[in-house]
Amino acid sequence: MAGKEASTGGTTSQKGEAARARAEVGGVGSSADLVPDLWFGELAGERSDATCSAGVKRREGGGDGPARAGLKAPDKVRQLQITLYRKAKSKPEYRFWSLYGEVQRADVLAAAWRRVQANAGAAGVDGVSIEDLSADAQVEAAWLGALREELHRKTYRPAPVRRVKIPKASGGFRGLGIPTVKDRVVQMAVYLVLMPIFEADFHPRSFGFRPGRQAGQAVEAIREALRMGKTEVVDADLAQYFDTIPHRQLLWQVARRVSDGMILKFIKGWLRAPILEEEEGGGRRMRPNPCGTPQGGVISPLLANIYLHPLDEGVNDQCRQKPRMIRYADDLVILCRPGEGGEMKERLARWLQSRGLALNQTKTRVLQSRASGFEFLGFSFRWQQSKKGTPYVHTEPSPAAEQTLRERVRGLTRRPTTWRATGEVVREINQATRGWSNYFALAHHHRSFGQMNHFIAHRLRQWLWRKHGNPAGKYQRWPNHELFATYGLYYLPTTLG
C-alpha cells in the first residue's frame, strides 16, 4: 500500500515510521492513479521564461515554489504526498496533527534543497547564496545536516526578509521579498508536506500555483463559460493582495486543516518576519510586517490560495445565479448571465472587505463581452463571427503581451549589440520566443504568431545588416527563410499540432 511505501526514510526505523505514517497521516487504499502529480508546480508548456506580463506576475509571487520540469520526485517523498492527499480527500474535516516529523525527514529536506537549488535565486539578508553551498559537496552535506539538527532540536528561527523593488510591466515597482536560502529550504519542506493536504480541498476553477494546472486551462474554462451564455464579466483586480492578507485570519484558515503546533509556529514566523528594505543610495531600513505574505517566499503562493479558497467555493458553488469564477492566484474574472454582473461585483467587494482585502476600484469593471472584449492572463477574449456567420470566442495574445515580446527582441537587437556573436544573439532571441510561444499557443494564435515571425525576422535582418557594414541587398542576402533555416531563428508555429 502507498501508506507503507510513503513512510520510509525518516528519523526512525523503516518499520516504525511506516506504522507512524499510517496512524498519523492515514493511508487510504485507493488507487494512485486517482492522485494528481503533486510534485511539479508548473508544466513544460507553461515556462517561467514566457515573456508576457502575466508570466512575470506569476513569477513574482512564486519564489522557489514551482519546480522545473526534469527534476524527478523522490519515490519516498512522492509516496508521502500520495498518503497525505488520500487522507485529506477522504476526510474533508480531518485536522493533521503530526506533520513536523515529516518536514525534518532527511529525504524531504534533500528534496526541498534540490528544488530550491534548481530554481536558483539571490541571497537573503545573511549573504549566503546557493552557489556558496553548491560549490562543494561536503559543504552542502554539512549544511543540510546542520539544518536538520536545528529542526530536530527546535532551534530554527526565521530570518528577516530582504526586500527589493522590481519594475512592473504596467509601470512603477513591485516589492519582492527574498528569504534566506535556509528559510527557503525549510519553507519548501513544509510546502511539500502541506501542499497535498490543501490540494485535496482546492476548487477545480482555481488554477494558479497548483500542480498539474496552468494558465491555458483557465483560458479554456473562460471560453467554455462564455459559450454557455455567461457573457457578462466582472473583470476584478485585487488591491495589493499579497501585501494585505491578514495574518490572524490566514493562520485560522491553515489551522482548519493543520493542528501541528510547530508547523503553525513556522508559518506565523515567516509571515511576521521583519522586512529589510533596500533604499536608494545603498541604505537599509528594517520594518515590521504586520500583514501580507512576501512575494518571493516559497510558501507564499500556497498561503495565498488557501486564503481565497472560501471565495472560490462561495462564488462557484453557493450563489443562486450560478456564476463561474476563474481564478489564477490573485487574478480573477466572474462570468455570469447578462444583468447579474453589478450584483456580483458588489458581493465580491463586501466579501473581500470582510476578510481585510479590497478591490482596486479603478481597475475592476463590469462589461458585456459581446460588446467589448477583455484581457486575462495575457490573453485577449472577444466575440467574432466565423466565415459561416457563427459567433465564437476569439482568443489570442493581448496587444500588451505582444508588445512585451517586441520590446524584448528590440533590446536584444539594438545597434550597440552588433559586437556580439550572431549565434549568441539568436540563442537569446529563441529563448524568449520559445517561452512566449509555449505559453500563448492556444486557440486562435496563428495570426499573432505569423506577425511576430515577420517582426522578429525583420529585427534580426536589420541587426545583421548593421553588423556587416550596411551592405546592399539585405533582403536578398538575409531573406526570412534563410534566417529560420540557416541561422536557426525559432519559428513560432502558425498551425496546430
Side-chain angles (χ1 to χ4, degrees):
M1 290 179 60
K4 295 180 180 179
E5 295 171 2
S7 52
T8 57
T11 57
T12 61
S13 66
Q14 294 185 0
K15 183 176 180 181
E17 190 160 331
R20 178 170 61 84
R22 289 194 301 274
E24 296 175 0
V25 301
V28 180
S30 58
S31 171
D33 294 338
L34 302 178
V35 180
D37 187 347
L38 297 167
W39 177 252
F40 293 112
E42 68 184 21
L43 299 181
E46 186 172 351
R47 294 173 46 156
S48 60
D49 57 354
T51 48
C52 64
S53 58
V56 171
K57 190 169 185 179
R58 286 197 312 278
R59 292 198 302 276
E60 290 166 0
D64 296 294
R68 302 299 179 94
L71 187 61
K72 185 180 179 181
D75 290 341
K76 293 176 182 178
V77 176
R78 166 72 174 159
Q79 290 302 324
L80 170 64
Q81 291 183 319
I82 290 173
T83 300
L84 292 165
Y85 179 88
R86 288 174 173 169
K87 181 73 170 184
K89 199 70 173 176
S90 65
K91 296 187 177 182
E93 304 299 323
Y94 186 84
R95 297 182 72 207
F96 291 79
W97 56 271
S98 185
L99 297 172
Y100 186 61
E102 311 299 342
V103 168
Q104 58 180 311
R105 278 172 41 171
D107 57 341
V108 171
L109 284 175
W113 160 246
R114 287 201 303 276
R115 289 189 64 164
V116 170
Q117 186 183 36
N119 281 279
V125 295
D126 60 358
V128 177
S129 68
I130 291 174
E131 292 75 17
D132 294 336
L133 301 174
S134 303
D136 187 294
Q138 290 183 341
V139 171
E140 177 182 310
W143 183 84
L144 273 176
L147 176 56
R148 190 183 182 204
E149 185 65 19
E150 279 188 50
L151 295 174
H152 181 68
R153 294 181 178 274
K154 299 184 179 180
T155 58
Y156 163 78
R157 299 292 183 273
V161 175
R162 176 178 160 230
R163 186 180 176 94
V164 298
K165 294 180 179 180
I166 56 176
K168 296 168 61 176
S170 57
F173 294 89
R174 183 188 307 276
L176 180 67
I178 305 175
T180 63
V181 175
K182 179 190 291 187
D183 286 341
R184 299 206 304 260
V185 172
V186 180
Q187 285 188 30
M188 181 64 76
V190 173
Y191 168 85
L192 292 176
V193 173
L194 290 189
M195 180 269 292
I197 297 170
F198 289 99
E199 183 62 29
D201 295 339
F202 286 155
H203 199 278
R205 296 194 184 111
S206 166
F207 295 92
F209 304 115
R210 293 184 58 191
R213 290 176 172 265
Q214 53 183 323
Q217 295 168 317
V219 169
E220 191 52 44
I222 291 173
R223 287 161 51 82
E224 179 186 13
L226 292 170
R227 290 192 293 261
M228 293 174 61
K230 302 180 187 297
T231 56
E232 191 157 284
V233 180
V234 181
D235 184 5
D237 184 87
L238 304 190
Q240 298 181 316
Y241 172 59
F242 279 87
D243 295 332
T244 57
I245 300 175
H247 291 168
R248 179 175 295 181
Q249 291 94 315
L250 173 57
L251 286 167
W252 182 83
Q253 283 290 115
V254 175
R256 290 184 64 189
R257 272 302 214 170
V258 177
S259 62
D260 188 307
M262 288 300 297
I263 299 296
L264 295 174
K265 180 181 178 181
F266 279 3
I267 295 175
K268 182 178 180 180
W270 293 325
L271 291 173
R272 297 187 177 180
I275 304 295
L276 183 64
E277 292 186 327
E278 298 184 355
E279 300 177 328
E280 295 183 5
R284 289 186 169 189
R285 179 172 64 94
M286 188 82 75
R287 66 170 180 83
N289 186 36
C291 63
T293 178
Q295 296 194 54
V298 176
I299 205 165
S300 293
L302 176 62
L303 297 178
N305 273 336
I306 290 171
Y307 198 60
L308 286 183
H309 172 63
L311 178 64
D312 297 330
E313 290 188 321
V315 176
N316 286 296
D317 302 334
Q318 299 167 14
C319 286
R320 58 177 175 79
Q321 298 93 337
K322 299 188 181 301
R324 289 199 175 186
M325 187 180 83
I326 311 301
R327 184 173 66 83
Y328 196 106
D330 58 337
D331 288 326
L332 63 93
V333 290
I334 301 176
L335 301 104
C336 48
R337 300 284 178 183
E340 298 175 349
E343 179 186 352
M344 286 294 110
K345 178 185 174 184
E346 292 178 4
R347 293 177 65 179
L348 174 63
R350 289 197 300 269
W351 189 96
L352 293 171
Q353 185 177 23
S354 69
R355 270 75 174 180
L357 306 173
L359 278 177
N360 185 331
Q361 295 291 349
T362 61
K363 294 184 178 181
T364 299
R365 58 182 182 143
V366 178
L367 59 94
Q368 175 50 251
S369 64
R370 290 191 179 274
S372 62
F374 63 98
E375 296 178 4
F376 187 65
L377 297 180
F379 289 87
S380 174
F381 300 83
R382 66 178 183 272
W383 285 92
Q384 291 188 179
Q385 283 194 341
S386 68
K387 293 180 180 180
K388 296 182 179 180
T390 304
Y392 73 97
V393 183
H394 187 88
T395 308
E396 65 180 355
S398 70
E402 293 178 338
Q403 184 63 21
T404 301
L405 180 60
R406 289 192 185 97
E407 291 300 326
R408 173 63 175 154
V409 174
R410 285 193 182 102
L412 293 171
T413 55
R414 290 181 297 114
R415 189 186 299 270
T417 67
T418 53
W419 61 271
R420 301 180 65 193
T422 301
E424 182 181 352
V425 171
V426 170
R427 278 194 300 273
E428 291 191 18
I429 294 175
N430 287 349
Q431 182 181 9
T433 55
R434 282 182 189 274
W436 195 89
S437 170
N438 289 341
Y439 182 80
F440 286 107
L442 299 170
H444 314 101
H445 65 278
H446 317 97
R447 181 189 64 85
S448 173
F449 279 28
Q451 292 176 348
M452 203 60 70
N453 281 328
H454 284 291
F455 170 79
I456 295 168
H458 171 72
R459 290 296 306 183
L460 181 59
R461 179 167 41 248
Q462 288 291 105
W463 185 86
L464 288 168
W465 179 64
R466 295 189 182 105
K467 181 179 180 67
H468 292 281
N470 306 342
K474 62 180 176 181
Y475 287 94
Q476 291 74 29
R477 185 170 181 178
W478 298 290
N480 282 8
H481 67 84
E482 183 78 8
L483 297 175
F484 292 113
T486 303
Y487 286 83
L489 187 64
Y490 176 69
Y491 185 85
L492 279 71
T494 55
T495 59
L496 293 175

